[in-house]
Amino acid sequence: MVATYELRIYGRVQHVGFRDRIEDIGRGLGIDGVVYNYEDDTVRILANFDDEETKEMFKNNIKFI
């Protein structure tokens, strides 16, 4: 069953290429979603995950950007 999650990224995330790297990781894992800047200076990720394992793998990969 597909579940949609919203992830909010706080801190120094406005540097060049951050969203592109997040999108590359998602594509590499086969995840559908969108990454965008929000009005409160956070980056928001809306992503559809097929299973909990893929979600955790994605979250672990973006921690190191």
Side-chain angles (χ1 to χ4, degrees):
M1 180 176 166
V2 176
T4 301
Y5 290 89
E6 178 184 51
L7 302 163
R8 297 176 188 174
I9 311 296
Y10 298 90
R12 294 182 46 101
V13 295
Q14 301 300 327
H15 60 278
V16 176
F18 180 79
R19 288 186 321 276
D20 289 338
R21 286 188 271 170
I22 295 291
E23 289 173 351
D24 288 343
I25 291 169
R27 273 193 291 277
L29 294 172
I31 299 168
D32 292 324
V34 63
V35 181
Y36 60 96
N37 289 338
Y38 194 68
E39 60 193 29
D40 64 357
D41 293 328
T42 62
V43 170
R44 304 272 175 111
I45 304 166
L46 291 176
N48 300 316
F49 297 98
D50 293 329
D51 56 56
E52 192 69 24
E53 182 180 331
T54 305
K55 181 181 81 168
E56 290 304 316
M57 189 180 312
F58 178 74
K59 286 171 50 178
N60 287 332
N61 277 289
I62 66 173
K63 284 181 185 178
F64 300 105
I65 294 179

